[in-house]
Every structure is written in C-alpha cells, then in structure tokens.
C-alpha cells in the first residue's frame, strides 16, 4: 500500500521531532548514534530504516522501536470540567517538593530498562503531595514526567517546509533568521509557481533555493546568484528529493555569481548568463550582506511588472531599499511587513495563547517592479500638463459661476412669485436674495 | 482565448495557455497584453481593477476613464493613461493570485495572502498535490492553491451555496484554470466528500482545508478523504469553533493538532522631517548656515543640521513603524495530521457524538430533508465539470 517514496531508506536524511521539544536532522542509519542530553544513550537510528514516514519511535533498551502514532498525548485532553462545575483549587497544596524517591533510585530503574509507565507509577506513589493536586495538575505532572523519562522521535520526510522548521529550530543564524512563516510569505508574495524563472539571492545555505525548486516541481528556471564561485547549498541537499542528486526537481537549478552582474570580465568568463535583463518572473532575496547594493545589482534582471520579496531580520536595511525603490520610482505595491504568529493552547475549558513563543518573524519587503513615470513614452508634455491644469481651473470657475447664477436664478424666482409654493421656507431665499439684488 | 492567467508563464502557448507544464520558458520581458487577457490595472492598495480586455470597451474608475484598446499591446509593468486627462494613469500588471485576492468581487469573507501563505506551506503543497477545499466562498484561496499544485495536481473545492458555486465555476473557466480546479456544489457537512459516483474516493487527498461555520460536522468526512500522513487545516474566526473542532479532531484520531493565530503586521514607511532645536544645534546656528559653501546652502539642497557634538544630522529620515490600525484578526488556523498507522476510514457506523454547546445537530436535520435535490444538483454539477 505504501509507495517506496514514503518509506525511510538507509542513509536518508530525516527530519526528527523529539518529544523533548526540538527538531533534529539525521541520517537514518546504524551509524547514527543518539544522545540524551550530553550523554550518548547507546541507541542508533537503525530502527527507522524500512518504516514509513510519519511513524513514531521510542527507545526500548538501546534500540529505537516503532510505536503506534495514534493519540499519544491524551492525558490533558481527556480531563474535562467536572459536572458539578467545581474545578478544585490549591488551598490544601503542600508547598514543599514531596517526592521521596531518590534520583539514584529513579536512575537505577531506568538502567534496569523498566518501562516508563512503571517509573511514573512509582513516582506518583512516592509523591506525598500528588493527591492534593487538582485533576488537571495531576495530568500535567504525568505529561511532564513522561516527557522527561520517555524518548520518542517522530520521523518526517525532509520536505522544504519541514526542513525549514528544523533548521530554524536548530540554528536560525545559519538561515539569516528567516522564520518558516516568513519564507512561506515570500513564496506567495513572489508568486512562485511551476514553469517560471526566478532570480534568487540565498543567504540560507540553500533552503530558499530548495523551497523555490520544490514549488517549481521541476519546471522552469531557478537561478541562484551566489556570493562566490561555489555557493553553499547544504540545506538544499537535505531535501528528500535532492538526496539522490539526480532528481527532476533539481533540473531547473542554475548557479551563477552575483558579481557577474556588475563585473563585465567575470560575465564574459561565465557567459552565457542564465537570465538576461528583464526576464526573471520573480526575485527572492535573503541576503547575508546589506540588501540595498545587492538589490541594486540584481534588480535589472527582474522583468517589468513582476513581483519580488526581500527578507531581512532588521527593518532598517529594508527601509533603505524601500527608499531607493521610491526615489527611483521603480516599484509599485510596495509593502514592508512582519508577522505576529501566536500559537494557542486549545484544551477543553483551558484555552489561551501559549505562554512563550517566538516573537520575531523578521521583515519582508515585497512589491512589483514598474516602469518609472519619467520613462513613459506616453507621458504628457509640459504643455499638455499646463493645458490640463488650465482646463481644470476653468472647470472650477465654471462650476463656481454656475453655482452663483443658480442661486441668483432661485432668488429671482423667489422675487417674481412672492407667494412661493410653500410658505414655510419662503423666508430663507428672500433673506439670501437681499445682498445679491443689492449688487 | 483568454491569456494572462494565474499559472501562466507560457502566455499564449497554443496547447495550454495557462498551466505551465512544459519546460520551455517564454521570455519575461516584453510580454504584452492581448484581447481576451485578464489584466489588473493598479492604482494603489485599494485601487486594483481586474478587467478582461475586449475591443472598444472602457473602464471608468476613480482615476478616470480608461480604454481597453490603450492597454492592448502594452508590456506589463508599464503605464496606462486616461485619454482625456493624460496626467491620470494606472499601472498594468499581469494578475497573480495575490493581486486577485486584493481585487476580487467579494461574495463572502475571504482568506488573505498571509493566511494563504501559511496554509500552503503547512499543508506541504507542491506541484502534483491533490487538495480538497470547502467552502469555495469567493475563490480567493482556490486561485492560490491552483497556482501551487499545477501541473499534475488538482484542487477539488466544494460550496453549498448554488449561486456561489456557479459563479466560482464560471470564474475558473474564464481564468483558464478549470482543468486544475473543480468546483462542486455540495454541503460536505451533510454529505461528505466521498459520495459514490460523484465524489472523491476515500484516502484520496494529499491535503485538505476547511473554512466552514461548523467544521466539526465535516471532520469525519475530512478524515475519510485524506490519505494517511496527510495534513488538514481548519480556519475559524471564533475560538469556540476552534475548541469544538479540536475535541472532534482528537476523537477521530488526528495527531499534531495545533492552533495558531497569524497576525500580519504591515509597516508604514515614510520620509519624516526631524528638526534639531536651534538651541541644541552646533554653535546654535540655523540649519543650512554652516553648510560650507554657498552652493550647498541653496534652497533646493536638503537642509542639514549639526548636533552639539558637531555630527551632521540629516533634515529628514526614512523610517518605518507599525501601522496604527490594522486588520488584527482573521481567524485561527488549526492544523492536524492523520497518522500514518491510523485506520484508513472512520468505522462505517460512526456518528458524531454531541459536542458541548455546538449547533451541529440543526445543520444535519435541516439538510436531511433536501438530500435528494442537493444530490441531484451536485450530480449535474459534477457531470458538467467533466
């Protein structure tokens, strides 16, 4: 039933989510050893090979063994509000840590290879204050202990979005702090799709290039403008489709040097350049350097009317880009933005925003390249503009004149027929008519 | 016929004008608008006008009267002027799903680009993906999904309102994406996605998106239509809806259930004049007095002032700050994964257990009476879509 593509094969890079709350990217192989904290726990990833992606594995002895991935976190969700509406409180809570089991005893149980349930059972039994806790905090206690003494990994296929999550979790600095949701926004803002050509400045070791390639699905042209002759594309090589090295999804990739855009000698050396001026259907930049000079160098490559998205973890350098684009009148629909992405804890009767979360997405400057007004061949001449101004002024004058004569006519009408249609508003026009007739 | 489409690169490519499933790239530069093209005339954030170019037609907007004939043969990104008042202009743009989202005729509340981005990314969409959506609404998300899953993928979108379904279908045809998007009129809460003959098979979809008033009544259907190890997303403006949905998702055996709120923070970027008070200026001179030469002190040169330590302060700064007032809440996005070793479908005798405070029962009973007519209508719809 499962296609081979969905099964973890030997030596493949896999995105692993640990129940300790972090991501790893590791090779599924007997030679990959795992650590718990600073110590090696003796286990390897041999147990992952041959199992489908999305499976969960737990540590049994010194092996990672596949377990059921169905509903493992039910402790907290199964607690609903008691029917009498009394949730319980902490008036009798004992203030001191009442765990009588020693750390050594716990360690001994773990070394004996006792199952986690048994260890937790012991912990609960020897916890003097456990019964004084509310049902919810009892459940929380068990969840916490499970997290501490269990070792569970979920194995995900290394797609661009998963790799972005994992890399950002492990080392955001290597991605120039490009948060995965900012990457997602760039991909839509620059209208990334199959069959188009994209110019890319990639300070993320290939993550951005990989994400664009994945959305192109093997159709189009993805040009990476590197800082040097051999750009770092390590993150790209993690993608599950890139690991063989001959995937059709990699076919659109072309690497060249940014310098060739400004250095004619290098351009001649690297000729033919992959994209001529004004031919890219989109521009995506996560520069390691000051974005403005990079933008100035690469902007001519972008086609007229086509979208671009530039990421930087600080706003000010993008403000400089914004200023340049406005002053050269070369972009429209310009917008600088960031994202407040707030995770929520959703539990029956206990829903609230998460207490701690990542607070800065970085900034994205997006827009469409446009023709400067000064370059418009159909622009009106100075005389035409003057004529237009004169026309407008005369229209205003006519409007004023009409208004005045209208009032005069109304006054005349009022004067001609003193017994106006209605007596109640007859006084008002007469009043207004006075100064006019005196003229 | 129509060109300038959403997925288009090979505009005017004779076999498939909109979906680029070929590797030959048309040049980006000099691509020109033609009669029958859908184009966007852009005059600002709230001045976007999508028009289908036809001979002799005009469009009258805030910026003036514009002739379609003036747009034809113009390259994208250039300036289109009003004939009468030549100083009035708009920019010509090739439509993207994002521009369409900003300019489409609203029939419902729509999903905007920040949420669309997150959904597309978290659902792991790429060319070839099969994605199911309900409801279609105004088709804002449908266009973006179609762009991402083409070529090779498909968007199956379900809408219970007959009028909206018909309009959306007509739009997909006009935009030449009807081979990537299929809109079916059906109440998925009552009938699911997988009615035999006219629906999708079980375990068919790579991803699924729900934007429904009572998403929990479609959760079991969602479970059935999804492949194992696929992700679904439910969009709800109210936290009460989210809460009920999460209860139902857990009951059904979904895992990795998590909810986020995605607030897009646009920034105001402006050139601001910042003055140095005369008594704090270097030597207490006036701005421009100490510029060095007389030429620089001319009235057109930007005025600069030295602060007390002698450093030159520019008279104006480009600076950014958050907009004072923004659309602060669109909805909560709840993501859930159907686990790899889950049962492929919910048990045949499964019925939704009651949810605390949920008005789900009402939906089911009212629609039950009209089942036959709806089914017939959807059947006709499905046939016409083939």
């Amino acid at each position: 039933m499962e296609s081979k593509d969905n099964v973890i094969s030997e030596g493949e890079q896999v995105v692993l989510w640990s129940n300790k709350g972090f991501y790893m990217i590791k090779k599924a192989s007997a030679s990959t050893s795992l650590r718990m904290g600073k110590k090696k726990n003796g286990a390897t990833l041999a147990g992952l090979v041959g199992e489908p992606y999305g499976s969960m594995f737990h540590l049994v002895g010194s092996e990672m063994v596949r377990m059921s991935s169905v509903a493992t976190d039910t402790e907290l969700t199964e607690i609903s509000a008691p029917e009498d509406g009394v949730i319980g409180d902490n008036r009798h809570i004992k203030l001191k840590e009442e765990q009588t089991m020693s750390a050594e005893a716990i360690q001994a149980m773990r070394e004996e290879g006792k199952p986690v349930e048994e260890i937790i059972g012991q912990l609960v039994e020897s916890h003097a204050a456990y019964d004084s806790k509310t049902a919810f905090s009892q459940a929380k206690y068990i969840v916490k202990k499970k997290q501490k003494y269990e070792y569970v990994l979920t194995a995900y296929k290394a797609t661009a979005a998963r790799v972005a999550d994992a890399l950002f979790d492990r080392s955001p600095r290597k991605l120039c702090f490009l948060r995965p949701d900012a990457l997602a926004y760039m991909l839509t803002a620059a209208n990334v799709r199959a069959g188009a050509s994209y110019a890319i400045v990639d300070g993320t070791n290939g993550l951005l290039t990989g994400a664009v390639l994945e959305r192109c699905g093997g159709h189009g042209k993805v040009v990476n403008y590197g800082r040097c002759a051999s750009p770092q594309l390590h993150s790209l090589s993690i993608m599950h489709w890139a690991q063989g090295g001959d995937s059709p999804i990699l076919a659109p990739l072309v690497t060249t040097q940014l310098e060739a855009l400004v250095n004619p000698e290098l351009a001649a050396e690297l000729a033919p350049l992959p994209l001529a001026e004004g031919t890219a259907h989109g521009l995506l930049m996560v520069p390691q350097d000051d974005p403005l000079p990079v933008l100035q160098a690469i902007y001519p490559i972008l086609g007229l009317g086509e979208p671009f998205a530039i990421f930087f973890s600080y706003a000010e350098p993008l403000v400089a880009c914004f200023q340049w684009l406005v002053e050269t009148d070369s972009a429209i629909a310009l917008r600088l933005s960031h994202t407040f992405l707030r995770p929520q804890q959703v539990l029956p009767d206990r829903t609230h925003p998460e207490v701690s979360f990542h607070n800065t997405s970085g900034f994205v400057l997006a827009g469409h390249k446009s023709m400067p007004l000064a370059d418009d061949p159909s622009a009106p001449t100075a005389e035409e503009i003057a004529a237009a101004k004169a026309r407008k002024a005369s229209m205003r004058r006519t409007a004023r004149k009409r208004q005045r004569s209208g009032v005069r006519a109304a006054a005349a009408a009022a004067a001609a027929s003193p017994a106006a249609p209605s007596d109640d508003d007859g006084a008002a026009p007469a009043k207004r008519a006075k100064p006019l007739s005196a003229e | 016929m129509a060109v300038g489409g959403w997925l288009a690169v090979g505009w005017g490519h004779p076999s498939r004008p909109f979906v680029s499933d070929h590797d030959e790239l048309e040049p980006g530069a000099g691509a020109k608008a033609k009669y029958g093209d859908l184009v966007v005339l852009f005059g600002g954030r709230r001045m976007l006008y999508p028009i289908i170019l036809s001979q002799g037609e005009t469009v009258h907007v805030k910026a003036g009267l514009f002739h379609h004939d003036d747009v034809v043969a113009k390259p994208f990104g250039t300036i289109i002027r009003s004939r009468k008042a030549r100083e009035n202009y708009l920019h010509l743009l090739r439509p993207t799903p994002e521009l369409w989202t900003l300019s489409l005729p609203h029939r419902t509340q729509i999903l905007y680009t920040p949420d669309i981005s997150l959904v597309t990314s978290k659902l792991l969409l790429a060319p070839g993906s099969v994605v199911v959506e309900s409801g279609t609404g105004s088709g804002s998300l449908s266009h973006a999904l179609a762009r991402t899953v083409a070529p090779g993928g498909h968007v199956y979108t379900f809408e219970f309102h007959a009028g909206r379904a018909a309009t959306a279908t007509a739009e997909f045809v006009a935009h030449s994406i009807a081979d990537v998007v299929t809109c079916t009129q059906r109440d998925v809460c009552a009938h699911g996605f997988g009615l035999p003959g006219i629906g999708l098979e079980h375990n068919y979809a790579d991803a699924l998106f729900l934007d429904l008033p009572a998403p929990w009544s479609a959760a079991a259907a969602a479970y059935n239509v999804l492949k194992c190890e696929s992700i679904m997303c439910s969009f709800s403006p109210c936290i009460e809806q989210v809460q009920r949905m999460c209860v139902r998702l857990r009951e059904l055996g979904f895992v990795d259930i998590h909810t986020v709120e995605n607030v897009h923070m646009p920034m105001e970027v402006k050139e601001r004049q910042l003055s140095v008070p005369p008594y704090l200026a270097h030597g207490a001179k006036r701005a421009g007095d100490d510029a060095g030469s007389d030429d620089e002190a001319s009235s057109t040169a930007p005025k600069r002032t030295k602060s007390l330590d002698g450093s030159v302060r520019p008279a104006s700064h480009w600076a950014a700050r958050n907009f004072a007032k923004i659309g602060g809440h669109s909805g909560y996005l709840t993501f859930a994964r159907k686990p790899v070793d889950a049962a492929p479908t919910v048990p045949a005798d499964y019925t939704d257990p009651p949810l605390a405070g949920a008005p789900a029962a009402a939906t089911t009973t009212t629609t039950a009476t009209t089942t036959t007519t709806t089914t017939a209508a959807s059947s006709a719809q499905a046939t016409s879509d083939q």
Side-chain angles (χ1 to χ4, degrees), chain B residues 185 187 190-191 363-378:
Chain B
Q185 189 217 338
D187 177 5
H191 308 299
T363 329
T364 330
T365 46
T366 48
T367 47
T369 53
T370 58
T371 303
T372 41
T373 49
T374 318
T375 311
S378 331

Side-chain angles (χ1 to χ4, degrees), chain B:
Chain B
M1 37 159 273
V3 161
W6 309 97
L7 319 165
V9 171
W11 331 277
H13 193 272
S15 55
R16 284 164 68 79
F18 291 92
V19 188
S20 33
D21 54 355
H22 51 87
D23 289 286
E24 281 170 42
L25 292 173
E26 300 280 325
K32 285 169 185 157
K34 301 203 295 279
Y35 286 114
D37 285 9
L38 179 75
V39 299
V40 173
L41 295 183
F42 180 94
R45 172 73 175 72
R46 281 176 176 65
M47 290 168 69
L48 286 130
Y49 313 105
I51 53 169
I52 291 177
L53 297 176
S54 53
Q55 208 153 3
E57 281 286 311
T58 57
V59 53
H60 202 166
V61 296
K62 208 173 161 187
L65 183 71
F66 292 84
H67 292 253
H68 288 203
D69 299 344
D70 294 352
V71 178
V72 168
K74 280 277 181 70
F76 290 103
T78 56
I79 291 156
I80 308 297
R81 292 186 179 271
S82 170
R83 278 189 198 171
K84 269 200 165 172
R86 297 260 313 284
E87 67 281 9
N88 288 355
Y89 64 90
L90 295 168
H91 276 96
L92 170 65
L93 288 179
R94 187 141 46 86
T96 67
E98 287 61 50
L99 291 173
W100 178 247
T101 290
L102 292 177
S103 59
L104 58 80
H106 280 229
R107 303 183 281 275
T108 54
Q109 269 290 350
I110 63 162
L111 232 66
Y112 287 95
T113 300
D115 285 336
I116 291 173
S117 310
L118 199 63
V119 168
T120 311
S121 172
K122 295 269 252 176
L123 294 185
L124 311 178
L125 299 181
S129 301
V130 172
V131 55
V132 173
E133 180 200 19
S134 185
T136 312
S138 306
S140 166
L141 177 64
S142 316
H143 279 82
L145 293 177
R147 176 259 318 267
T148 302
V149 304
H154 204 94
V155 182
Y156 293 95
T157 178
F158 295 85
E159 168 65 48
F160 66 0
H161 187 280
R164 280 187 217 144
T167 315
T169 305
E171 244 170 38
F172 299 146
V173 170
H175 298 168
S176 294
I177 51 171
D179 57 340
V180 187
V181 192
T182 306
C183 181
T184 307
Q185 189 217 338
R186 187 187 305 170
D187 177 5
V188 295
C189 294
H191 308 299
F193 301 98
L195 277 189
I198 60 160
L200 304 174
E201 285 173 24
H202 288 337
N203 303 300
Y204 187 70
D206 297 310
L208 180 138
F209 179 83
L210 296 180
D211 179 1
L212 298 170
W216 51 87
S217 28
Y223 184 95
N224 285 341
V225 79
L226 273 175
K227 284 180 192 165
C228 286
E229 191 48 16
S230 293
I231 301 171
M232 64 157 289
C233 174
S234 173
F235 174 92
S236 296
C238 304
I239 199 72
E240 289 81 2
Q241 292 168 301
V242 173
Q243 187 126 5
R244 284 175 201 135
M245 185 59 176
C246 286
V247 168
R248 180 56 37 84
L249 290 172
R250 280 192 196 99
E251 277 169 8
L252 288 165
F254 281 99
V255 294
D256 284 357
I257 302 168
H258 61 284
T259 303
V260 295
E261 189 189 5
N262 182 27
V263 187
H264 189 67
M265 311 276 258
M267 296 180 85
E268 183 186 28
V269 186
K270 270 194 176 156
E271 187 177 16
R272 310 299 313 183
Q273 309 291 326
L274 297 179
S275 57
V276 175
Y279 51 86
L280 291 182
H282 183 62
K285 283 182 184 173
R286 288 203 152 262
D289 283 356
D290 54 354
S293 75
D294 289 346
D295 304 332
E296 271 184 69
S298 70
S299 59
T300 51
K303 288 185 176 173
R304 287 165 183 277
T305 307
K306 282 184 183 175
S307 59
L308 283 182
D309 65 354
S311 62
V312 177
R313 303 291 301 159
S316 70
H317 300 253
W318 280 78
R321 64 178 176 188
N322 285 344
F323 272 108
K325 213 168 182 184
I326 58 164
H329 179 70
S330 53
Y332 298 99
L333 293 165
T334 300
F335 297 92
R337 184 165 58 95
K338 182 176 177 180
V340 67
D341 43 7
T345 56
V346 297
D349 57 348
Y350 175 87
T351 45
D352 285 342
L355 281 171
T363 329
T364 330
T365 46
T366 48
T367 47
T369 53
T370 58
T371 303
T372 41
T373 49
T374 318
T375 311
S378 331
S379 181
Q381 181 77 40
T383 331
S384 66
D385 284 335
Q386 296 312 307

Side-chain angles (χ1 to χ4, degrees), chain A residues 87-108:
Chain A
I87 295 169
D89 56 38
N90 284 336
R91 74 185 69 197
H92 302 303
I93 194 86
K94 293 179 178 150
L95 295 176
K96 269 192 181 167
E97 182 53 56
E98 299 289 334
Q99 183 55 260
T100 53
M101 207 174 159
S102 67
E104 291 78 26
I106 300 170
Q107 191 54 35

Side-chain angles (χ1 to χ4, degrees), chain A residues 59-62 101-116 118-119 122:
Chain A
L59 187 65
V60 178
S62 63
M101 207 174 159
S102 67
E104 291 78 26
I106 300 170
Q107 191 54 35
M109 278 187 88
R110 294 177 74 182
E111 275 164 16
E112 280 170 44
K114 289 266 163 64
V116 179
E118 202 175 306
I119 299 176
Q122 278 283 315

